[in-house]
Amino acid sequence: MVDIPEHLLLRSAEARAKALGISVEQALAEMKGETEPTVVAKDPEIKVIDETPAPAAETPEAETPEAETPAPAAEKPAPAAETPAAETPAAETPAPEAEKPAPEAEKPAPAAEKTAPAASKTDTPEEVDFAPEVKVTQRLLTVVKAKPIQKPVAEPVDKVNTWPHLMLPEFVSLMAMTAFLILLSAILQAPLLEEANPNVTPNPAKAPWYFLGLQELLSYWDPQIAGVMIPLVLGVVLWMAFPYIDRNPETHPSKRKFAIMFYTFFLAGAGVLTIIGVLFRGPGWNWTYPWIDGIWFDDLLDWIHFE
Amino acid sequence: MQKLSLRDKIKEARISAADSFRGGKLMSSIFRPGSPFRKGYVDSPRNRSYVVMNNVLYHLHPVKVKRHGVRLSYTLCLGGLSFFLFIVLTITGIWLMFYFRPTELAYVDIQNLQTSIAFGSLVRNMHRWGAHLMVLVVFLHMSRVFYHGAYKAPREFNWVIGVILLLLTLLLSFTGYLLPWDQLAIWAVTVGGNMAGYTPVIGAQAKFGLFAGLEATTATLLRFYVLHVLFLPFIIVIFMAVHFWRVRKDGGISGPL
Ligand code: HEM
């Protein structure tokens, strides 16, 4: 057998002495096989008794203790347990005590007989020895729940590989968009009016469509308000600060009705103003009906003529 | 072994030639391990990771993304399309620069482009409609972000960068509007520049700076040209880089709702 370092032996002897209530020297002696092991019955081991209705005491095969060398039983209890119970009384003893297999499992049957004297030899408290064949050498101190030691900070997220699950749709939308743009450009001619002439003011002079909502506002209000304050203050500063103003952490639409309403009104307002600016404004920025008076919107010159 | 027909022999030779090309030194020097263009690529989870990891796209995309984020119905690919449109506009724009001078000749150049240069009209149309489309798509992207509440913590600052990107997109479109130097261009820009003139306190200076003078002239044209082809694209690329980087650093796409 492998030599166990002295300090380890001492440590386990201390643990054994504490568990059994015996002195350290005696525990050491027992472990070295110099004295008979102390046997104490403890109720936690009842389970073991249930499984083996005291075979050790009854089996006639008690004469074959040497066949069951203690070492294998201690090292790998599983195979030992598989062999027929009759031949392996040792397997049923609380074998997994690697430190002192020799004395403990050596002679199971005699041990059962000698329990009483062994117990009286030591100064263990008076306990009725219900199951003498069970040698308690350790106790259950606590039950540790099967939880990871490290606490996960973030829950795992359901993820997929970027290739191909994201890159393929991206590629397809890129292709679709390019095809759409080429088609559009083949059908719709971009406008080119007469050469720029600062002396001839067209009537009406319209801004690009994305500014036409503003130009429309400009026709109602003072230009300082409509042309500068609204786009700069509302459009840029407030809009940039928006995430810092809206402190509601919810993202579900049902929990941010005000924000949704706010943006939808903004969208609708901007949309209506832009459509008015594009379709319903003619010479002198007067109201015109596209189906009666025609459209003044040169960006779509080709399309208008095509009509 | 059966005798091969000539056709099979050619086919076999072609396959083995393609194989040895794909496995050769040239291809392996161009494509890093794991690339589907290399020999022996098999579709495995490991290789799927390598496709991204050993690729310049790793700067844009992580190896894995949230499952709900790749559903087309979530982002509608609007941010991606804004970026694609920007790339299309860069390519067509560079092409247009070969034929364009930002001087009194600008108008003539555009006319010539449309009438005497192969695909001139098509490329000009693509650049112009693409620009309009980009304004629209960026706007839709912003609306998508808003309705998802995707600007909320920790993404507040990416929204701020987004607003800057929207402004830059509008400015790019607006400066480009003047370049054809026709009546539409000059008067639309005049309307816009006059609006800047209403700025309190510094109105006159703002207008003068924009027009490079008191009204839209060829000096304005040069100014807008430089802004349009150099300065603004330079700035917007920087902000886009920060924008994409923040999308990843803020934990990828937001949601699910
Ligand atoms: C040139 C313009 C822009 C480009 C190229 C761009 C590109 C992108 C891309 C590719 C994404 C990834 C997710 C997606 O596709 O939706 C994204 C996300 C985002 N963008 Fe933009 N964007 C632009 C303008 C804007 C604007 C105008 C805003 C808002 C004012 C904005 C705010 C955001 C925010 C907050 C996210 C994170 C969304 C999320 O996590 O769900 N972006 N952007």
Side-chain angles (χ1 to χ4, degrees), chain A residues 239, chain B residues 74-75 77-83 134 138-139 141-142 144-145 148 150-151 155 158-166 169 236 240 243-244 247 252-255:
Chain A
W239 203 221
Chain B
Y74 191 72
T75 67
C77 208
L78 286 169
L81 280 180
S82 311
F83 182 50
M134 180 169 168
V138 169
F139 199 78
H141 168 61
M142 180 175 80
R144 185 302 274 176
V145 167
H148 281 161
Y151 55 83
R155 298 182 175 81
N158 220 12
W159 172 272
V160 177
I161 295 169
V163 175
I164 294 173
L165 283 175
L166 176 68
T169 307
I236 203 172
M240 278 186 190
H243 193 60
F244 301 157
V247 170
I253 211 77
S254 64

mmCIF file of all heavy atoms in Angstrom, chain A residues 239, chain B residues 74-75 77-83 134 138-139 141-142 144-145 148 150-151 155 158-166 169 236 240 243-244 247 252-255, ligand 1:
data_model
loop_
_atom_site.group_PDB
_atom_site.id
_atom_site.type_symbol
_atom_site.label_atom_id
_atom_site.label_comp_id
_atom_site.label_asym_id
_atom_site.label_seq_id
_atom_site.Cartn_x
_atom_site.Cartn_y
_atom_site.Cartn_z
ATOM 1 N N TRP A 239 -34.139 67.176 -29.751
ATOM 2 C CA TRP A 239 -34.185 65.825 -30.307
ATOM 3 C C TRP A 239 -32.966 65.012 -29.879
ATOM 4 O O TRP A 239 -33.070 63.827 -29.596
ATOM 5 C CB TRP A 239 -34.293 65.923 -31.825
ATOM 6 C CG TRP A 239 -34.868 64.733 -32.496
ATOM 7 C CD1 TRP A 239 -34.423 64.180 -33.658
ATOM 8 C CD2 TRP A 239 -35.983 63.953 -32.093
ATOM 9 N NE1 TRP A 239 -35.198 63.098 -33.984
ATOM 10 C CE2 TRP A 239 -36.162 62.930 -33.047
ATOM 11 C CE3 TRP A 239 -36.865 64.005 -31.004
ATOM 12 C CZ2 TRP A 239 -37.164 61.966 -32.958
ATOM 13 C CZ3 TRP A 239 -37.866 63.053 -30.911
ATOM 14 C CH2 TRP A 239 -38.005 62.050 -31.873
ATOM 15 N N TYR B 74 -37.439 42.927 -37.351
ATOM 16 C CA TYR B 74 -37.078 43.754 -36.187
ATOM 17 C C TYR B 74 -36.422 45.069 -36.615
ATOM 18 O O TYR B 74 -36.910 46.136 -36.297
ATOM 19 C CB TYR B 74 -36.164 42.994 -35.228
ATOM 20 C CG TYR B 74 -36.014 43.740 -33.926
ATOM 21 C CD1 TYR B 74 -37.067 43.803 -33.020
ATOM 22 C CD2 TYR B 74 -34.850 44.430 -33.626
ATOM 23 C CE1 TYR B 74 -36.950 44.511 -31.848
ATOM 24 C CE2 TYR B 74 -34.726 45.142 -32.446
ATOM 25 C CZ TYR B 74 -35.782 45.181 -31.559
ATOM 26 O OH TYR B 74 -35.666 45.900 -30.403
ATOM 27 N N THR B 75 -35.321 44.997 -37.329
ATOM 28 C CA THR B 75 -34.668 46.245 -37.748
ATOM 29 C C THR B 75 -35.094 46.655 -39.153
ATOM 30 O O THR B 75 -34.833 47.767 -39.572
ATOM 31 C CB THR B 75 -33.141 46.105 -37.771
ATOM 32 O OG1 THR B 75 -32.792 45.184 -38.797
ATOM 33 C CG2 THR B 75 -32.617 45.615 -36.455
ATOM 34 N N CYS B 77 -33.683 46.036 -41.466
ATOM 35 C CA CYS B 77 -32.389 46.282 -42.101
ATOM 36 C C CYS B 77 -32.219 47.756 -42.458
ATOM 37 O O CYS B 77 -31.451 48.106 -43.336
ATOM 38 C CB CYS B 77 -32.196 45.417 -43.342
ATOM 39 S SG CYS B 77 -30.456 45.071 -43.688
ATOM 40 N N LEU B 78 -32.942 48.633 -41.753
ATOM 41 C CA LEU B 78 -32.938 50.035 -42.178
ATOM 42 C C LEU B 78 -31.601 50.721 -41.916
ATOM 43 O O LEU B 78 -31.115 51.506 -42.742
ATOM 44 C CB LEU B 78 -34.067 50.792 -41.474
ATOM 45 C CG LEU B 78 -35.453 50.457 -42.016
ATOM 46 C CD1 LEU B 78 -36.534 51.012 -41.120
ATOM 47 C CD2 LEU B 78 -35.610 51.002 -43.422
ATOM 48 N N GLY B 79 -31.003 50.425 -40.749
ATOM 49 C CA GLY B 79 -29.684 51.005 -40.487
ATOM 50 C C GLY B 79 -28.676 50.499 -41.498
ATOM 51 O O GLY B 79 -27.891 51.270 -42.062
ATOM 52 N N GLY B 80 -28.720 49.194 -41.745
ATOM 53 C CA GLY B 80 -27.808 48.608 -42.730
ATOM 54 C C GLY B 80 -28.025 49.218 -44.106
ATOM 55 O O GLY B 80 -27.069 49.554 -44.811
ATOM 56 N N LEU B 81 -29.302 49.413 -44.477
ATOM 57 C CA LEU B 81 -29.581 49.978 -45.800
ATOM 58 C C LEU B 81 -29.107 51.429 -45.885
ATOM 59 O O LEU B 81 -28.628 51.869 -46.939
ATOM 60 C CB LEU B 81 -31.074 49.893 -46.113
ATOM 61 C CG LEU B 81 -31.544 48.514 -46.585
ATOM 62 C CD1 LEU B 81 -33.036 48.527 -46.866
ATOM 63 C CD2 LEU B 81 -30.782 48.078 -47.816
ATOM 64 N N SER B 82 -29.206 52.170 -44.773
ATOM 65 C CA SER B 82 -28.672 53.540 -44.796
ATOM 66 C C SER B 82 -27.190 53.498 -45.157
ATOM 67 O O SER B 82 -26.713 54.287 -45.983
ATOM 68 C CB SER B 82 -28.819 54.200 -43.420
ATOM 69 O OG SER B 82 -30.100 54.051 -42.905
ATOM 70 N N PHE B 83 -26.505 52.553 -44.534
ATOM 71 C CA PHE B 83 -25.072 52.429 -44.784
ATOM 72 C C PHE B 83 -24.802 51.974 -46.223
ATOM 73 O O PHE B 83 -23.950 52.530 -46.912
ATOM 74 C CB PHE B 83 -24.493 51.445 -43.769
ATOM 75 C CG PHE B 83 -23.012 51.261 -43.881
ATOM 76 C CD1 PHE B 83 -22.162 52.351 -43.932
ATOM 77 C CD2 PHE B 83 -22.464 49.990 -43.933
ATOM 78 C CE1 PHE B 83 -20.796 52.181 -44.025
ATOM 79 C CE2 PHE B 83 -21.099 49.814 -44.026
ATOM 80 C CZ PHE B 83 -20.263 50.910 -44.077
ATOM 81 N N MET B 134 -31.822 57.779 -49.414
ATOM 82 C CA MET B 134 -31.065 57.682 -48.167
ATOM 83 C C MET B 134 -31.690 58.558 -47.087
ATOM 84 O O MET B 134 -31.807 58.143 -45.932
ATOM 85 C CB MET B 134 -29.601 58.073 -48.386
ATOM 86 C CG MET B 134 -28.795 57.986 -47.114
ATOM 87 S SD MET B 134 -27.027 58.126 -47.393
ATOM 88 C CE MET B 134 -26.465 58.338 -45.715
ATOM 89 N N VAL B 138 -32.912 56.802 -43.716
ATOM 90 C CA VAL B 138 -32.375 57.205 -42.416
ATOM 91 C C VAL B 138 -33.517 57.660 -41.513
ATOM 92 O O VAL B 138 -33.569 57.336 -40.320
ATOM 93 C CB VAL B 138 -31.328 58.322 -42.587
ATOM 94 C CG1 VAL B 138 -30.956 58.928 -41.247
ATOM 95 C CG2 VAL B 138 -30.088 57.786 -43.268
ATOM 96 N N PHE B 139 -34.448 58.389 -42.101
ATOM 97 C CA PHE B 139 -35.596 58.847 -41.330
ATOM 98 C C PHE B 139 -36.413 57.659 -40.819
ATOM 99 O O PHE B 139 -36.817 57.617 -39.652
ATOM 100 C CB PHE B 139 -36.453 59.750 -42.226
ATOM 101 C CG PHE B 139 -37.386 60.617 -41.449
ATOM 102 C CD1 PHE B 139 -36.918 61.755 -40.811
ATOM 103 C CD2 PHE B 139 -38.719 60.289 -41.354
ATOM 104 C CE1 PHE B 139 -37.775 62.548 -40.083
ATOM 105 C CE2 PHE B 139 -39.588 61.090 -40.622
ATOM 106 C CZ PHE B 139 -39.120 62.221 -39.980
ATOM 107 N N HIS B 141 -35.298 54.648 -40.348
ATOM 108 C CA HIS B 141 -34.468 53.980 -39.341
ATOM 109 C C HIS B 141 -34.640 54.655 -37.980
ATOM 110 O O HIS B 141 -34.813 53.996 -36.957
ATOM 111 C CB HIS B 141 -33.011 54.012 -39.803
ATOM 112 C CG HIS B 141 -32.010 53.625 -38.769
ATOM 113 N ND1 HIS B 141 -31.990 52.385 -38.183
ATOM 114 C CD2 HIS B 141 -30.984 54.321 -38.202
ATOM 115 C CE1 HIS B 141 -30.983 52.329 -37.307
ATOM 116 N NE2 HIS B 141 -30.362 53.491 -37.303
ATOM 117 N N MET B 142 -34.636 55.977 -38.006
ATOM 118 C CA MET B 142 -34.815 56.715 -36.760
ATOM 119 C C MET B 142 -36.194 56.406 -36.152
ATOM 120 O O MET B 142 -36.308 56.207 -34.937
ATOM 121 C CB MET B 142 -34.675 58.209 -37.032
ATOM 122 C CG MET B 142 -34.846 59.080 -35.810
ATOM 123 S SD MET B 142 -34.517 60.798 -36.186
ATOM 124 C CE MET B 142 -36.054 61.274 -36.949
ATOM 125 N N ARG B 144 -37.947 53.679 -36.570
ATOM 126 C CA ARG B 144 -37.884 52.303 -36.055
ATOM 127 C C ARG B 144 -37.235 52.304 -34.664
ATOM 128 O O ARG B 144 -37.746 51.690 -33.729
ATOM 129 C CB ARG B 144 -37.073 51.502 -37.054
ATOM 130 C CG ARG B 144 -36.866 50.024 -36.959
ATOM 131 C CD ARG B 144 -36.247 49.466 -35.735
ATOM 132 N NE ARG B 144 -34.792 49.463 -35.750
ATOM 133 C CZ ARG B 144 -34.036 49.090 -34.735
ATOM 134 N NH1 ARG B 144 -34.583 48.699 -33.620
ATOM 135 N NH2 ARG B 144 -32.743 49.140 -34.824
ATOM 136 N N VAL B 145 -36.122 53.012 -34.549
ATOM 137 C CA VAL B 145 -35.415 53.083 -33.266
ATOM 138 C C VAL B 145 -36.328 53.698 -32.213
ATOM 139 O O VAL B 145 -36.415 53.224 -31.084
ATOM 140 C CB VAL B 145 -34.112 53.895 -33.428
ATOM 141 C CG1 VAL B 145 -33.538 54.250 -32.073
ATOM 142 C CG2 VAL B 145 -33.094 53.110 -34.235
ATOM 143 N N HIS B 148 -39.161 51.324 -31.052
ATOM 144 C CA HIS B 148 -38.662 50.217 -30.228
ATOM 145 C C HIS B 148 -38.120 50.703 -28.893
ATOM 146 O O HIS B 148 -37.688 49.893 -28.074
ATOM 147 C CB HIS B 148 -37.551 49.461 -30.967
ATOM 148 C CG HIS B 148 -38.081 48.520 -31.992
ATOM 149 N ND1 HIS B 148 -37.316 48.026 -33.014
ATOM 150 C CD2 HIS B 148 -39.306 47.978 -32.152
ATOM 151 C CE1 HIS B 148 -38.047 47.219 -33.761
ATOM 152 N NE2 HIS B 148 -39.252 47.180 -33.258
ATOM 153 N N ALA B 150 -35.417 52.009 -28.549
ATOM 154 C CA ALA B 150 -34.037 51.523 -28.588
ATOM 155 C C ALA B 150 -33.027 52.610 -28.235
ATOM 156 O O ALA B 150 -31.846 52.359 -28.219
ATOM 157 C CB ALA B 150 -33.718 50.959 -29.973
ATOM 158 N N TYR B 151 -33.527 53.813 -27.933
ATOM 159 C CA TYR B 151 -32.610 54.891 -27.559
ATOM 160 C C TYR B 151 -32.410 54.927 -26.047
ATOM 161 O O TYR B 151 -31.685 55.772 -25.539
ATOM 162 C CB TYR B 151 -33.173 56.241 -28.023
ATOM 163 C CG TYR B 151 -34.561 56.509 -27.524
ATOM 164 C CD1 TYR B 151 -34.771 57.017 -26.256
ATOM 165 C CD2 TYR B 151 -35.672 56.230 -28.312
ATOM 166 C CE1 TYR B 151 -36.037 57.235 -25.779
ATOM 167 C CE2 TYR B 151 -36.948 56.438 -27.848
ATOM 168 C CZ TYR B 151 -37.128 56.952 -26.566
ATOM 169 O OH TYR B 151 -38.397 57.154 -26.092
ATOM 170 N N ARG B 155 -28.256 53.095 -24.514
ATOM 171 C CA ARG B 155 -28.047 53.532 -25.898
ATOM 172 C C ARG B 155 -28.322 55.004 -26.115
ATOM 173 O O ARG B 155 -28.446 55.437 -27.260
ATOM 174 C CB ARG B 155 -28.928 52.704 -26.840
ATOM 175 C CG ARG B 155 -28.580 51.218 -26.810
ATOM 176 C CD ARG B 155 -29.394 50.398 -27.762
ATOM 177 N NE ARG B 155 -28.925 49.021 -27.745
ATOM 178 C CZ ARG B 155 -29.264 48.138 -26.824
ATOM 179 N NH1 ARG B 155 -30.085 48.481 -25.859
ATOM 180 N NH2 ARG B 155 -28.771 46.910 -26.855
ATOM 181 N N ASN B 158 -25.877 56.764 -28.404
ATOM 182 C CA ASN B 158 -25.915 56.384 -29.813
ATOM 183 C C ASN B 158 -27.048 57.102 -30.532
ATOM 184 O O ASN B 158 -26.975 57.333 -31.736
ATOM 185 C CB ASN B 158 -26.055 54.875 -29.962
ATOM 186 C CG ASN B 158 -25.207 54.338 -31.095
ATOM 187 O OD1 ASN B 158 -24.356 55.050 -31.608
ATOM 188 N ND2 ASN B 158 -25.461 53.113 -31.497
ATOM 189 N N TRP B 159 -28.080 57.440 -29.804
ATOM 190 C CA TRP B 159 -29.141 58.259 -30.385
ATOM 191 C C TRP B 159 -28.596 59.640 -30.729
ATOM 192 O O TRP B 159 -28.878 60.175 -31.812
ATOM 193 C CB TRP B 159 -30.308 58.351 -29.401
ATOM 194 C CG TRP B 159 -31.374 59.321 -29.793
ATOM 195 C CD1 TRP B 159 -31.419 60.654 -29.497
ATOM 196 C CD2 TRP B 159 -32.546 59.047 -30.574
ATOM 197 N NE1 TRP B 159 -32.537 61.226 -30.034
ATOM 198 C CE2 TRP B 159 -33.251 60.268 -30.693
ATOM 199 C CE3 TRP B 159 -33.060 57.901 -31.164
ATOM 200 C CZ2 TRP B 159 -34.448 60.362 -31.387
ATOM 201 C CZ3 TRP B 159 -34.258 58.005 -31.853
ATOM 202 C CH2 TRP B 159 -34.938 59.213 -31.968
ATOM 203 N N VAL B 160 -27.811 60.210 -29.826
ATOM 204 C CA VAL B 160 -27.217 61.526 -30.082
ATOM 205 C C VAL B 160 -26.365 61.461 -31.350
ATOM 206 O O VAL B 160 -26.479 62.315 -32.238
ATOM 207 C CB VAL B 160 -26.363 61.976 -28.875
ATOM 208 C CG1 VAL B 160 -25.683 63.299 -29.177
ATOM 209 C CG2 VAL B 160 -27.224 62.104 -27.644
ATOM 210 N N ILE B 161 -25.540 60.432 -31.449
ATOM 211 C CA ILE B 161 -24.731 60.265 -32.657
ATOM 212 C C ILE B 161 -25.637 60.106 -33.866
ATOM 213 O O ILE B 161 -25.367 60.645 -34.942
ATOM 214 C CB ILE B 161 -23.805 59.045 -32.509
ATOM 215 C CG1 ILE B 161 -22.803 59.298 -31.391
ATOM 216 C CG2 ILE B 161 -23.081 58.747 -33.813
ATOM 217 C CD1 ILE B 161 -22.033 58.065 -31.011
ATOM 218 N N GLY B 162 -26.754 59.383 -33.677
ATOM 219 C CA GLY B 162 -27.704 59.198 -34.773
ATOM 220 C C GLY B 162 -28.259 60.521 -35.262
ATOM 221 O O GLY B 162 -28.368 60.744 -36.477
ATOM 222 N N VAL B 163 -28.623 61.415 -34.342
ATOM 223 C CA VAL B 163 -29.163 62.716 -34.767
ATOM 224 C C VAL B 163 -28.102 63.467 -35.564
ATOM 225 O O VAL B 163 -28.404 64.107 -36.582
ATOM 226 C CB VAL B 163 -29.644 63.529 -33.547
ATOM 227 C CG1 VAL B 163 -30.087 64.913 -33.980
ATOM 228 C CG2 VAL B 163 -30.778 62.818 -32.854
ATOM 229 N N ILE B 164 -26.856 63.370 -35.125
ATOM 230 C CA ILE B 164 -25.768 64.011 -35.883
ATOM 231 C C ILE B 164 -25.690 63.394 -37.282
ATOM 232 O O ILE B 164 -25.528 64.108 -38.280
ATOM 233 C CB ILE B 164 -24.432 63.861 -35.133
ATOM 234 C CG1 ILE B 164 -24.498 64.640 -33.826
ATOM 235 C CG2 ILE B 164 -23.278 64.350 -35.992
ATOM 236 C CD1 ILE B 164 -23.299 64.430 -32.933
ATOM 237 N N LEU B 165 -25.841 62.072 -37.360
ATOM 238 C CA LEU B 165 -25.807 61.416 -38.672
ATOM 239 C C LEU B 165 -26.954 61.895 -39.555
ATOM 240 O O LEU B 165 -26.782 62.102 -40.762
ATOM 241 C CB LEU B 165 -25.890 59.894 -38.499
ATOM 242 C CG LEU B 165 -24.616 59.198 -38.050
ATOM 243 C CD1 LEU B 165 -24.872 57.729 -37.806
ATOM 244 C CD2 LEU B 165 -23.536 59.364 -39.104
ATOM 245 N N LEU B 166 -28.129 62.088 -38.940
ATOM 246 C CA LEU B 166 -29.271 62.589 -39.714
ATOM 247 C C LEU B 166 -28.960 63.987 -40.252
ATOM 248 O O LEU B 166 -29.193 64.275 -41.436
ATOM 249 C CB LEU B 166 -30.517 62.623 -38.825
ATOM 250 C CG LEU B 166 -31.769 63.208 -39.458
ATOM 251 C CD1 LEU B 166 -32.287 62.304 -40.563
ATOM 252 C CD2 LEU B 166 -32.854 63.435 -38.422
ATOM 253 N N THR B 169 -26.535 63.725 -43.027
ATOM 254 C CA THR B 169 -27.183 63.209 -44.237
ATOM 255 C C THR B 169 -27.938 64.324 -44.955
ATOM 256 O O THR B 169 -27.843 64.475 -46.182
ATOM 257 C CB THR B 169 -28.145 62.077 -43.865
ATOM 258 O OG1 THR B 169 -27.448 61.118 -43.088
ATOM 259 C CG2 THR B 169 -28.721 61.418 -45.099
ATOM 260 N N ILE B 236 -18.963 62.179 -41.857
ATOM 261 C CA ILE B 236 -20.044 61.213 -41.632
ATOM 262 C C ILE B 236 -19.458 59.810 -41.466
ATOM 263 O O ILE B 236 -19.978 59.000 -40.690
ATOM 264 C CB ILE B 236 -21.112 61.261 -42.768
ATOM 265 C CG1 ILE B 236 -22.446 60.718 -42.240
ATOM 266 C CG2 ILE B 236 -20.707 60.463 -43.977
ATOM 267 C CD1 ILE B 236 -23.603 60.894 -43.188
ATOM 268 N N MET B 240 -20.257 57.449 -38.426
ATOM 269 C CA MET B 240 -20.805 56.111 -38.658
ATOM 270 C C MET B 240 -19.984 55.059 -37.936
ATOM 271 O O MET B 240 -20.520 54.136 -37.338
ATOM 272 C CB MET B 240 -20.814 55.793 -40.153
ATOM 273 C CG MET B 240 -22.008 56.368 -40.886
ATOM 274 S SD MET B 240 -21.979 55.774 -42.580
ATOM 275 C CE MET B 240 -23.238 56.789 -43.280
ATOM 276 N N HIS B 243 -20.892 55.131 -34.468
ATOM 277 C CA HIS B 243 -22.268 54.626 -34.355
ATOM 278 C C HIS B 243 -22.284 53.091 -34.353
ATOM 279 O O HIS B 243 -22.881 52.477 -33.472
ATOM 280 C CB HIS B 243 -23.067 55.163 -35.539
ATOM 281 C CG HIS B 243 -24.555 55.009 -35.415
ATOM 282 N ND1 HIS B 243 -25.284 55.567 -34.398
ATOM 283 C CD2 HIS B 243 -25.449 54.354 -36.193
ATOM 284 C CE1 HIS B 243 -26.564 55.280 -34.563
ATOM 285 N NE2 HIS B 243 -26.690 54.532 -35.643
ATOM 286 N N PHE B 244 -21.600 52.488 -35.310
ATOM 287 C CA PHE B 244 -21.596 51.017 -35.392
ATOM 288 C C PHE B 244 -20.886 50.415 -34.192
ATOM 289 O O PHE B 244 -21.310 49.397 -33.650
ATOM 290 C CB PHE B 244 -20.902 50.542 -36.682
ATOM 291 C CG PHE B 244 -21.539 51.061 -37.935
ATOM 292 C CD1 PHE B 244 -20.821 51.154 -39.117
ATOM 293 C CD2 PHE B 244 -22.858 51.464 -37.933
ATOM 294 C CE1 PHE B 244 -21.406 51.649 -40.265
ATOM 295 C CE2 PHE B 244 -23.453 51.952 -39.080
ATOM 296 C CZ PHE B 244 -22.721 52.045 -40.249
ATOM 297 N N VAL B 247 -23.146 50.443 -31.289
ATOM 298 C CA VAL B 247 -24.185 49.419 -31.346
ATOM 299 C C VAL B 247 -23.670 48.138 -30.699
ATOM 300 O O VAL B 247 -24.342 47.496 -29.891
ATOM 301 C CB VAL B 247 -24.624 49.148 -32.803
ATOM 302 C CG1 VAL B 247 -25.514 47.915 -32.875
ATOM 303 C CG2 VAL B 247 -25.362 50.335 -33.377
ATOM 304 N N GLY B 252 -25.136 45.044 -28.496
ATOM 305 C CA GLY B 252 -25.817 44.585 -29.702
ATOM 306 C C GLY B 252 -27.175 45.228 -29.835
ATOM 307 O O GLY B 252 -27.506 46.176 -29.140
ATOM 308 N N ILE B 253 -27.932 44.653 -30.735
ATOM 309 C CA ILE B 253 -29.235 45.221 -31.038
ATOM 310 C C ILE B 253 -30.121 45.170 -29.789
ATOM 311 O O ILE B 253 -29.979 44.282 -28.973
ATOM 312 C CB ILE B 253 -29.840 44.424 -32.216
ATOM 313 C CG1 ILE B 253 -30.722 45.325 -33.027
ATOM 314 C CG2 ILE B 253 -30.569 43.199 -31.759
ATOM 315 C CD1 ILE B 253 -29.916 46.209 -33.899
ATOM 316 N N SER B 254 -30.994 46.165 -29.636
ATOM 317 C CA SER B 254 -31.844 46.229 -28.449
ATOM 318 C C SER B 254 -32.922 45.162 -28.513
ATOM 319 O O SER B 254 -33.036 44.437 -29.487
ATOM 320 C CB SER B 254 -32.497 47.605 -28.384
ATOM 321 O OG SER B 254 -33.332 47.762 -29.497
ATOM 322 N N GLY B 255 -33.706 45.114 -27.448
ATOM 323 C CA GLY B 255 -34.851 44.226 -27.457
ATOM 324 C C GLY B 255 -34.511 42.823 -27.027
ATOM 325 O O GLY B 255 -33.437 42.595 -26.510
HETATM 326 C C1 HEM C 1 -26.349 57.747 -41.843
HETATM 327 C C2 HEM C 1 -27.240 57.387 -41.030
HETATM 328 C C3 HEM C 1 -27.286 56.129 -40.179
HETATM 329 C C4 HEM C 1 -26.709 54.907 -40.378
HETATM 330 C C5 HEM C 1 -25.836 54.449 -41.541
HETATM 331 C C6 HEM C 1 -27.102 54.073 -39.260
HETATM 332 C C7 HEM C 1 -26.761 52.739 -39.109
HETATM 333 C C8 HEM C 1 -27.188 51.934 -38.077
HETATM 334 C C9 HEM C 1 -27.073 50.502 -38.044
HETATM 335 C C10 HEM C 1 -26.466 49.629 -39.138
HETATM 336 C C11 HEM C 1 -27.611 50.071 -36.880
HETATM 337 C C12 HEM C 1 -27.774 48.608 -36.452
HETATM 338 C C13 HEM C 1 -29.234 48.251 -36.243
HETATM 339 C C14 HEM C 1 -30.173 48.532 -37.376
HETATM 340 O O1 HEM C 1 -29.842 48.249 -38.531
HETATM 341 O O2 HEM C 1 -31.254 49.056 -37.096
HETATM 342 C C15 HEM C 1 -28.033 51.236 -36.153
HETATM 343 C C16 HEM C 1 -28.607 51.242 -34.903
HETATM 344 C C17 HEM C 1 -29.018 52.372 -34.212
HETATM 345 N N1 HEM C 1 -29.167 53.647 -34.738
HETATM 346 FE FE1 HEM C 1 -28.500 54.200 -36.542
HETATM 347 N N2 HEM C 1 -27.873 54.817 -38.396
HETATM 348 C C18 HEM C 1 -28.014 56.066 -38.930
HETATM 349 C C19 HEM C 1 -28.762 57.093 -38.404
HETATM 350 C C20 HEM C 1 -29.375 57.068 -37.165
HETATM 351 C C21 HEM C 1 -30.252 58.089 -36.663
HETATM 352 C C22 HEM C 1 -30.717 59.329 -37.452
HETATM 353 C C23 HEM C 1 -30.607 57.717 -35.393
HETATM 354 C C24 HEM C 1 -31.506 58.416 -34.402
HETATM 355 C C25 HEM C 1 -31.658 59.668 -34.294
HETATM 356 C C26 HEM C 1 -29.936 56.464 -35.103
HETATM 357 C C27 HEM C 1 -29.989 55.791 -33.910
HETATM 358 C C28 HEM C 1 -29.635 54.460 -33.744
HETATM 359 C C29 HEM C 1 -29.773 53.716 -32.518
HETATM 360 C C30 HEM C 1 -30.257 54.268 -31.161
HETATM 361 C C31 HEM C 1 -29.387 52.404 -32.811
HETATM 362 C C32 HEM C 1 -29.404 51.186 -31.869
HETATM 363 C C33 HEM C 1 -30.701 50.477 -32.179
HETATM 364 C C34 HEM C 1 -30.881 49.169 -31.468
HETATM 365 O O3 HEM C 1 -29.992 48.772 -30.704
HETATM 366 O O4 HEM C 1 -31.931 48.554 -31.686
HETATM 367 N N3 HEM C 1 -29.210 56.086 -36.213
HETATM 368 N N4 HEM C 1 -27.773 52.365 -36.908
#
